[in-house]
Amino acid sequence: SKKCSTCHPLSDSINTDYVTQEEWERVINDMVSVSGTLISADEARQILDFVVYDAQVRKKPSTETKVADASK
C-alpha cells in the first residue's frame, strides 16, 4: 500500500469502475510501466489478485452486469 500511495490515493483503486480481470491487467501493466522498478512482477500479481477478488466480492453486481453486457 505504501508503494501504491506514492502515485495515487489507495481509494482510487477501490472506488474505480474497473471490475474484470482484463481491465485490471491493463491498468496494472500500465502502472508497472510508469513506475519503473517500483513494482515487481510478484507485487503486480499480488495487486491483480487483490483487486480482482475485491471486484468479485464487493462489486459483484457491477461485475456480473459488465460480464453479461460483454457477452452480448
Side-chain angles (χ1 to χ4, degrees), residues 2 10 13 17 27 33 35-37 39 50-52 55 60-61:
K2 193 171 198 175
L10 292 177
S13 51
D17 291 334
V27 170
S33 294
S35 72
T37 59
I39 303 171
F50 170 75
V51 293
V52 169
K60 187 174 183 175

Side-chain angles (χ1 to χ4, degrees), residues 12-50:
D12 284 4
S13 51
I14 300 300
N15 296 324
T16 186
D17 291 334
Y18 300 129
V19 293
T20 67
Q21 179 158 343
E22 293 78 18
E23 290 172 317
W24 278 116
E25 285 175 346
R26 182 176 36 83
V27 170
I28 291 169
N29 286 337
D30 289 347
M31 290 188 324
V32 169
S33 294
V34 169
S35 72
T37 59
L38 184 64
I39 303 171
S40 70
D42 185 53
E43 291 168 326
R45 172 51 62 187
Q46 290 174 28
I47 294 166
L48 178 64
D49 289 347
F50 170 75

